[in-house]
Amino acid sequence: MRVLVTGGAGFIGSHFAERLLKAGEDVVVLDLLTYAGDEANVPQRVEFRRGDVASKADVEAVGEFDAIVNFAAESHVDRSILGPHDFARTDVLGALALAEVARERDVRLVQVSTDEVYGDVTEPAAEKAPLRPSSPYSAAKAGGDLQVLAAVRTYGLDACVTRGSNTYGPRQYPEKLIPLFVTNALDGEPLPLYGDGRQVRDWLHVEDHCAAIELVLREGAPGEVYNAGAGEEHENVELAHRILGLTGADPSLLRHVEDRPGHDRRYSLDSSKLRALGWKPEKAFDKGLEETVDWYRENRAWWKPRKSGEYRAYYERQYAERLR
Ligand code: NAD
Ligand code: DAU
């Protein structure tokens, strides 16, 4: 199978490309190389094309493929609050363009989505739960999902949607909670914890997330949505203390700062549908977090340059006032 992996120069997509290669598949990556993407993340032996998923012409120019797995997105909630337009463009119009090409070529599309589309919940959300996105990011992801599912119903597109929970592991851009706190702790910089820090996220290791998506690509039923959560729900404040412990940083680096507007309190998924298909997470959070902290400790050369340039301007805008 030749699989088009869009967004494969980013965090999860690059791990997924690696996984498909190991499984003996042929992979082509299409990625715009935004601030979050880097060709160096794309595994060797994978063909790379620079292009925009929201441009049908860019997708068509890739050539032949047998399936598409769409990771391409603007993916950071805080950036979506600062400026939502790129999110709507890539996450909605990108999914739409890919659905059109997949339909015209009669190939399968897997739309990689997120638990955030259900909004914050008090009980685990199953796939039929209402979509109640809270942020411009999650609203855009919900829009992408709906375009894909509408194309299934209207045109008979062969597509599935996956909704994974908060993902962590090596090569995650240092704007997200775990890599931000780990790299700040390693550098002796403050860890800015939003609000009371009692928000809950369900932490899924990137390899387990990729295994879920691969299973859906191979065995998912057309038109179905599959949740993938590890069942590892932890409060942010607990996670921050674990990171301080694992890095040996001074606990006084932890700072409670002004909250994220519209901040979702808890994400929680009912993943029994995907488990019935044979998926289960393999990596315990304790071990996965320890290994991830080790990876960032040993790979300063990967993350140091990513925390300069455009990142500094973003960091100032997002945190300077909060940390004053
Ligand atoms: P990421 O930000 O690390 O990577 C996104 C990639 O998409 C980057 O390489 C970027 O250059 C590329 N991209 C952005 N706009 C593009 C465009 N218009 N055309 C082509 N490429 C473009 O994101 P990630 O954390 O790896 O997330 C990947 C996918 O998984 C996203 O769709 C996200 O919504 C979803 N997801 C992420 C998580 C998580 O916790 N990180 C959890 C569940 C679902
Ligand atoms: O749930 C899946 C989603 O997880 C993905 O769809 C998104 O792409 C991904 O960014 C992530 O969204 P979150 O908003 O949950 O992740 P983030 O790492 O930004 O934040 C995790 C929690 O930590 C959240 O409650 C906000 C809090 N936080 C985050 C940052 C960056 C802080 O307290 N301080 C921070 O500086």
Side-chain angles (χ1 to χ4, degrees):
M1 198 167 39
R2 180 167 162 85
V3 182
L4 170 59
V5 176
T6 59
F11 167 48
I12 310 176
S14 66
H15 283 271
F16 188 76
E18 216 161 65
R19 183 180 187 90
L20 284 188
L21 269 192
K22 281 189 193 137
E25 309 296 359
D26 186 17
V27 179
V28 53
V29 161
L30 176 71
D31 196 298
L32 190 57
L33 300 182
T34 67
Y35 76 91
D38 190 335
E39 203 177 328
N41 289 337
V42 179
Q44 280 177 0
R45 296 196 292 121
V46 166
E47 187 184 333
F48 176 74
R49 299 289 181 98
R50 187 170 191 176
D52 182 355
V53 288
S55 153
K56 225 179 135 193
D58 283 5
V59 180
E60 283 164 343
V62 166
E64 300 292 310
F65 44 78
D66 307 299
I68 306 174
V69 183
N70 179 29
F71 293 88
E74 289 292 339
S75 69
H76 191 39
V77 172
D78 291 325
R79 288 190 192 246
S80 80
I81 295 167
L82 295 174
H85 284 90
D86 285 350
F87 287 75
R89 189 176 175 282
T90 293
D91 301 9
V92 184
L93 299 182
L96 176 60
L98 292 169
E100 285 179 328
V101 175
R103 175 163 66 88
E104 284 161 13
R105 297 188 179 191
D106 200 15
V107 300
R108 167 161 277 208
L109 168 65
V110 176
Q111 162 72 359
V112 178
S113 187
T114 167
D115 60 0
E116 298 211 23
V117 297
Y118 301 118
D120 50 7
V121 296
T122 50
E123 295 297 324
E127 289 81 357
K128 292 216 171 345
L131 302 188
R132 295 170 46 251
S134 312
S135 71
Y137 161 69
S138 51
K141 290 297 293 185
D145 291 15
L146 294 177
Q147 287 297 339
V148 170
L149 294 170
V152 170
R153 169 137 181 190
T154 304
Y155 307 112
L157 171 71
D158 175 10
C160 297
V161 175
T162 65
R163 296 194 177 132
S165 65
N166 279 67
T167 304
Y168 71 100
R171 293 202 299 274
Q172 186 170 28
Y173 192 81
E175 64 189 353
K176 308 280 165 58
L177 180 72
I178 289 182
L180 174 69
F181 278 21
V182 170
T183 57
N184 278 15
L186 291 172
D187 270 353
E189 297 278 340
L191 276 51
L193 189 64
Y194 294 153
D196 64 5
R198 305 287 308 273
Q199 302 82 7
V200 172
R201 296 293 184 267
D202 177 1
W203 292 98
L204 176 64
H205 191 269
V206 65
E207 290 303 337
D208 284 324
H209 194 166
C210 289
I213 296 164
E214 185 186 358
L215 182 63
V216 171
L217 170 66
R218 296 188 192 282
E219 293 180 29
E224 293 297 317
V225 177
Y226 295 91
N227 288 343
E232 285 277 11
E233 293 187 32
H234 299 275
E235 289 187 349
N236 294 338
V237 65
E238 177 210 324
L239 181 49
H241 282 292
R242 283 189 192 218
I243 290 171
L244 287 166
L246 287 167
T247 53
D250 186 338
S252 70
L253 290 176
L254 189 61
R255 299 270 298 278
H256 283 268
V257 301
E258 185 192 333
D259 209 349
R260 168 187 282 176
H263 198 169
D264 281 333
R265 202 69 188 160
R266 177 186 174 205
Y267 298 139
S268 179
L269 285 176
D270 174 346
S271 309
S272 44
K273 187 170 164 184
L274 192 58
R275 283 176 181 257
L277 208 62
W279 176 78
K280 69 175 171 45
E282 303 285 344
K283 184 77 82 181
F285 186 56
D286 281 351
K287 187 157 192 297
L289 185 62
E290 198 179 319
E291 288 172 3
T292 301
V293 170
D294 287 345
W295 188 87
Y296 281 93
R297 192 186 283 111
E298 288 156 17
N299 289 278
R300 262 178 191 275
W302 185 89
W303 57 266
K304 259 298 189 205
R306 287 172 171 77
K307 292 190 88 170
S308 62
E310 187 275 345
Y311 181 92
R312 283 317 313 168
Y314 161 72
Y315 197 84
E316 282 292 304
R317 197 165 165 213
Q318 180 64 19
Y319 295 106
E321 197 55 44
R322 285 185 161 89
L323 286 167
R324 209 179 298 283

